[in-house]
Amino acid sequence: MSPFVLCRVHFSCSRIWNRDKSRAVLLWRCRGVWGWGEGFQPEEFLTSPIPDAMKQTHPRPLPKSDRMDWKTIIYVILLVSLRVAKALPRTSQDIEEKTSIGQRFSQLQESNFKAIALILFAQYVPGGTLGRAAAMAEGVTALARRCAAAATDSPDCLKPLDRIFLDTICQEENLPRSADCCAKKDPERNDCFLSLKNSSRGFSSPLERPDAEAACRNHSQHGQPLTGYFIYEVSRRHPFLYAPTILSVALQYEEMMENCCGSAEGPSHHMEECFQRQAPKVVKLIKEDSLRQEHTCGILKKFGERTLKALKLAQISQRFPKADFVTVHKLVVAVADMHKDCCRGDTLGCMRDREEILRYVCSSQHVLSSRIQQCCEKPLLQRSECILHVENDDKPAGLSPHVREFIEDKGICERFAQEKDMHLARFLYEYSRRHPEFSAQMLLRIGKGYEDLLRECCSPGAPSGCRSRGEEELRKHIYETQSVMRTSCDIYKEKGDYYFQNELLMSFTKKMPQLTSAELIKFTKEMTTIGSKCCQLGQDKLLPCAEEHLDLVLGEICRRHLADPINPGVCRCCSSSYAFRRPCIGKLEIDESYVPLALTPGLFAFHGDLCTSEEEKLQHRKQEMLVTFLKYKPQISPEQLGSVTAAFTAMRERCCREANPEACFLKEVWLLCPATVPRQQGEKGYIQVLAQSLFPVYLPASVSLLPSQCCFSPLNFILQSCSGSSLP
């Protein structure tokens, strides 16, 4: 059997491809704010050459009865995993010892097992090919089939599941970047493979942008195999994404294609409009779930299980304030165990854990919250997202906002000494359930402050009344945090998206000049989007919205630092404390260790693209120039920057009205401040320098310009001074 004939659902395409079809064209077109960077571009999605092994060998299409609907497969996978959840053990060690590959095969059935295997291999080897992943999935499935049928288990059948999958990878030759990992022994081998999972730095080339008509034509002709191909592409580009999410997104993808291509005979622009409306829903689920999972794994890896449990304790206590501590603590432990499985790459264990938690939550509604009833009535694939986004339940009536008993009780120090972590967990639970208006990160900082207070005040020789200052310090921290968020929102409301992002660019370029212009623009764009989302909310929701979304962006920056160190300040903030990461980065100033860019020909240049009528492209170009200039002159004052950018703004307005803008730029700058040019270079040398080295930067046009004053020229900070000091 061909390695691509995984099952009738996945790659029966080997029997239905027409020989003249060399490309599979699928379409997601979304021009929203979700930037995906290099690699996967879901807002454009998906056209790439169909692997040779997927091309047709039998032109006759499969009879309808011989094909199983993808929706059926996906629902079966999730329903089976839910049914077996009660019988599955709780820990990863138990999974390895008690659940063999044959047992898991019997639980999921062959086609379901194979679908999960394909996702796993695509995620573990994102630089591989569909053919290699399909062949490995077929091999593992064949082993599982033999083990399920055997009367006695062979040694291969008794191996832990993760070892079987890694052995299969390591038996393949010339897989990208796998040789070093395969040379290691378990568990180091698994850790090595997990370190290669990086969804944001692409193994994949940018994908072309098909038109709607071509996408619908291919969907109608090759719908089922393309859905399998889609699952593979999403899996390899998002190696931390939950397998249930991938399957759920596949359903949404199919629904989108059916809805938008249902009237393929009609005008193509109607299909375009349909994709533009519906694709963002599919893209959003992939992006949010992938980022959230990678972020959580980053916290677990860098700060450990204790920090992750504290974070989940704060979040769950806020979500279910009526639940007792024992119930909340049990749920926290289960969620942390789930993330350990998911982050270590145990795709099957991750699915099982997640479904077991859903079952527990929905069976405990009377203890947790009445608001999750509607979520638990939803289809299984929608249940998890619904519970994740459900509103916090109301606090119990009469619950005081204070927890003075944790300060004033005489036996506090004794309890802290006897059961430190459990005592701190109870404090965090009680404080979190009382304050849904605080972010989880702020609650962790409050918990850390309480721990530090007890360490100091419960030590021998501590002065009487030591603990009483805790409440005043708490009020101070709350006020400072709320003030930072209010100030940021005031600036956002005053300046709007573009100018607010420019403010962030100026700040973060000085903090992290080692980042590329593209990275700085991407991160600050994401921060600006947070402002648009959160600053319109009331005070009771502003802080959790702003800081928890900002935490995701800072997590991206810190993962970028781990991959390629930025500077010592960022290292300190990303490594010392998860709870204090946001305040730490906020207090960073100019990186004194940074060596500014040297002035070289071509560092700054005027081009005709500055005269584009497309405002978004013009703004992006100006922001690139702003970043470059700040890397060249990081110590520039706001007043100097305002003068420089005002000169550029006036010059651009004049020259973009001319037939030859670039020639105009040279002329205008020459007339503006000829004294800035060293005399020995002469006019010819000066114009050559200008053509290669001019820089424009952008600030609002309202900044006043005094063109008669040479020192306000844009050349001033390139040529160092108006006295005509020589160029390097």
Side-chain angles (χ1 to χ4, degrees):
M1 178 182 291
S2 165
F4 281 89
V5 186
L6 296 183
C7 62
R8 289 182 180 137
V9 175
H10 280 81
F11 298 105
S12 55
C13 53
S14 61
R15 297 171 58 184
I16 65 175
W17 284 105
N18 296 326
R19 291 186 183 275
D20 59 345
K21 299 296 182 182
S22 61
R23 304 183 71 81
V25 183
L26 309 179
L27 172 67
W28 285 358
R29 184 166 295 179
C30 166
R31 302 184 185 279
V33 299
W34 303 105
W36 288 68
E38 185 178 347
F40 190 36
Q41 305 291 334
E43 61 270 17
E44 298 172 0
F45 205 61
L46 169 61
T47 177
S48 55
I50 289 295
D52 292 339
M54 288 185 67
K55 295 179 180 177
Q56 174 269 359
T57 57
H58 302 283
R60 177 180 59 83
L62 286 174
K64 188 172 183 179
S65 61
D66 201 28
R67 305 181 206 164
M68 187 182 296
D69 189 357
W70 264 104
K71 294 180 181 178
T72 302
I73 272 291
I74 293 169
Y75 279 124
V76 167
I77 292 174
L78 273 298
L79 289 171
V80 168
S81 70
L82 182 63
R83 285 200 299 269
V84 302
K86 294 181 181 180
L88 287 175
R90 291 299 305 262
T91 66
S92 300
Q93 183 179 1
D94 286 342
I95 292 171
E96 293 178 353
E97 292 177 353
K98 298 180 181 179
T99 306
S100 68
I101 189 172
Q103 290 172 320
R104 190 61 59 86
F105 179 88
S106 298
Q107 291 164 354
L108 292 174
Q109 302 302 311
E110 178 167 344
S111 57
N112 305 333
F113 184 93
K114 198 173 298 185
I116 299 299
L118 180 69
I119 291 174
L120 188 145
F121 286 122
Q123 290 183 327
Y124 256 102
V125 193
T129 65
L130 174 58
R132 303 292 287 275
M136 289 187 287
E138 178 67 28
V140 167
T141 304
L143 172 63
R145 188 189 307 114
R146 291 195 301 270
C147 294
T152 57
D153 288 328
S154 69
D156 285 343
C157 297
L158 296 176
K159 287 183 181 179
L161 284 172
D162 57 350
R163 188 179 303 169
I164 290 174
F165 282 109
L166 293 181
D167 286 348
T168 302
I169 293 173
C170 291
Q171 288 167 7
E172 291 285 312
E173 296 181 357
N174 301 319
L175 285 177
R177 305 199 299 171
S178 64
D180 290 342
C181 295
C182 290
K184 301 178 184 295
K185 295 183 178 180
D186 290 321
E188 288 78 13
R189 181 176 63 165
N190 188 52
D191 293 338
C192 179
F193 273 105
L194 292 180
S195 71
L196 300 180
K197 285 189 172 188
N198 187 339
S199 64
S200 61
R201 294 293 177 265
F203 295 95
S204 309
S205 59
L207 297 164
E208 301 173 16
R209 185 178 303 175
D211 59 70
E213 189 174 352
C216 288
R217 183 171 61 251
N218 279 273
H219 174 70
S220 66
Q221 295 173 357
H222 315 297
Q224 294 296 339
L226 289 184
T227 302
Y229 189 41
F230 160 75
I231 288 177
Y232 166 76
E233 291 293 342
V234 172
S235 301
R236 76 188 185 98
R237 288 174 162 91
H238 296 278
F240 283 98
L241 194 59
Y242 287 118
T245 299
I246 295 173
L247 299 174
S248 179
V249 170
L251 282 179
Q252 292 191 14
Y253 162 76
E254 276 208 340
E255 291 173 1
M256 178 186 71
M257 296 301 294
E258 290 170 3
N259 291 338
C260 295
C261 299
S263 58
E265 300 81 10
S268 61
H269 68 273
H270 291 160
M271 290 183 279
E272 291 270 5
E273 293 172 358
C274 179
F275 284 126
Q276 290 176 6
R277 287 195 312 271
Q278 297 198 23
K281 300 175 185 178
V282 184
V283 174
K284 182 179 180 181
L285 181 57
I286 294 178
K287 173 174 170 53
E288 288 185 347
D289 233 48
S290 179
L291 179 60
R292 194 162 51 222
Q293 177 63 12
E294 192 170 1
H295 181 75
T296 302
C297 292
I299 295 172
L300 180 62
K301 179 178 180 180
K302 185 64 181 177
F303 300 102
E305 183 178 351
R306 185 173 185 264
T307 296
L308 180 62
K309 284 183 175 179
L311 176 64
K312 296 305 173 184
L313 175 59
Q315 292 171 336
I316 294 172
S317 300
Q318 287 183 308
R319 185 64 50 87
F320 306 130
K322 295 176 182 176
D324 60 87
F325 175 74
V326 173
T327 301
V328 170
H329 185 261
K330 179 179 180 181
L331 194 52
V332 166
V333 172
V335 170
D337 286 343
M338 176 195 74
H339 284 300
K340 286 194 291 184
D341 278 345
C342 298
C343 295
R344 65 192 289 269
D346 183 357
T347 300
L348 297 175
C350 178
M351 285 182 61
R352 174 200 51 87
D353 291 344
R354 198 178 198 187
E355 299 306 324
E356 185 174 307
I357 290 170
L358 286 176
R359 179 192 60 79
Y360 175 76
V361 168
C362 288
S363 66
S364 306
Q365 296 179 50
H366 63 289
V367 177
L368 294 172
S369 171
S370 60
R371 294 189 177 180
I372 60 176
Q373 179 178 352
Q374 291 183 343
C375 296
C376 293
E377 293 172 352
K378 287 182 177 291
L380 186 61
L381 290 174
Q382 302 174 26
R383 198 173 299 170
S384 179
E385 283 298 306
C386 180
I387 292 175
L388 186 65
H389 293 102
V390 73
E391 287 284 328
N392 293 341
D393 201 357
D394 296 327
K395 292 184 292 185
L399 190 65
S400 167
H402 307 291
V403 287
R404 290 197 175 97
E405 64 272 19
F406 284 87
I407 297 292
E408 298 172 353
D409 284 6
K410 294 182 179 179
I412 286 296
C413 288
E414 182 178 352
R415 286 197 292 274
F416 178 65
Q418 291 176 350
E419 48 180 27
K420 172 189 165 186
D421 281 355
M422 192 58 68
H423 177 74
L424 294 175
R426 287 183 179 275
F427 170 82
L428 185 58
Y429 157 77
E430 293 291 353
Y431 205 88
S432 299
R433 66 198 288 252
R434 287 165 163 79
H435 294 283
E437 75 277 13
F438 293 164
S439 66
Q441 292 73 28
M442 180 176 174
L443 290 167
L444 294 192
R445 293 194 293 273
I446 290 172
K448 183 63 169 66
Y450 178 68
E451 179 182 0
D452 292 344
L453 181 74
L454 293 189
R455 286 183 183 278
E456 179 182 348
C457 297
C458 293
S459 61
S464 60
C466 175
R467 298 199 304 267
S468 61
R469 63 180 173 81
E471 196 164 351
E472 178 59 32
E473 292 180 356
L474 176 59
R475 281 196 297 267
K476 181 180 178 182
H477 176 69
I478 293 172
Y479 174 78
E480 289 176 350
T481 302
Q482 292 176 332
S483 295
V484 167
M485 293 301 168
R486 280 196 299 267
T487 300
S488 296
C489 281
D490 288 344
I491 296 173
Y492 173 79
K493 291 174 182 177
E494 175 189 352
K495 293 182 175 292
D497 285 350
Y498 179 60
Y499 295 115
F500 181 74
Q501 186 182 359
N502 283 352
E503 293 284 340
L504 293 173
L505 272 175
M506 287 186 279
S507 174
F508 276 82
T509 301
K510 293 183 178 184
K511 297 173 189 286
M512 308 173 190
Q514 295 84 359
L515 293 178
T516 66
S517 296
E519 288 172 326
L520 286 162
I521 292 172
K522 172 183 179 292
F523 292 138
T524 55
K525 177 67 174 179
E526 291 173 354
M527 295 175 193
T528 303
T529 302
I530 294 170
S532 67
K533 177 183 178 70
C534 301
C535 290
Q536 59 181 334
L537 302 177
Q539 290 299 314
D540 59 328
K541 295 183 178 180
L542 170 60
L543 194 55
C545 176
E547 186 160 17
E548 292 186 17
H549 282 87
L550 184 58
D551 185 55
L552 294 175
V553 181
L554 298 183
E556 287 187 89
I557 292 174
C558 289
R559 290 193 297 277
R560 158 64 172 83
H561 168 76
L562 287 176
D564 183 11
I566 299 173
N567 61 47
V570 175
C571 179
R572 182 180 70 255
C573 293
C574 289
S575 303
S576 56
S577 167
Y578 166 72
F580 287 88
R581 183 164 65 183
R582 196 273 306 159
C584 180
I585 290 178
K587 293 177 182 178
L588 288 178
E589 297 183 352
I590 294 176
D591 178 18
E592 300 294 344
S593 68
Y594 174 69
V595 178
L597 294 179
L599 178 62
T600 58
L603 180 61
F604 304 106
F606 287 135
H607 294 295
D609 58 357
L610 288 171
C611 296
T612 179
S613 60
E614 297 183 43
E615 189 63 22
E616 186 175 344
K617 289 184 178 180
L618 177 61
Q619 289 177 349
H620 185 81
R621 181 74 180 102
K622 291 172 178 177
Q623 288 178 335
E624 289 178 328
M625 295 173 176
L626 175 59
V627 171
T628 301
F629 177 60
L630 290 171
K631 290 184 177 186
Y632 171 65
K633 284 289 180 181
Q635 300 287 346
I636 190 172
S637 69
E639 294 77 15
Q640 290 172 320
L641 183 59
S643 298
V644 171
T645 54
F648 161 71
T649 300
M651 193 183 313
R652 178 188 170 275
E653 290 176 354
R654 287 193 296 273
C655 290
C656 287
R657 292 193 292 264
E658 299 290 332
N660 189 342
E662 295 192 21
C664 173
F665 286 141
L666 295 177
K667 176 182 176 182
E668 288 291 334
V669 176
W670 171 251
L671 294 175
L672 181 63
C673 192
T676 58
V677 185
R679 293 184 178 180
Q680 62 269 26
Q681 294 189 25
E683 180 175 345
K684 181 178 180 181
Y686 169 64
I687 293 178
Q688 182 180 2
V689 170
L690 284 180
Q692 295 176 333
S693 302
L694 283 178
F695 69 99
V697 204
Y698 183 76
L699 279 184
S702 59
V703 179
S704 60
L705 170 67
L706 301 175
S708 62
Q709 299 184 22
C710 173
C711 285
F712 289 110
S713 160
L715 297 178
N716 178 47
F717 300 106
I718 286 183
L719 303 179
Q720 307 300 322
S721 71
C722 288
S723 61
S725 60
S726 59
L727 286 167

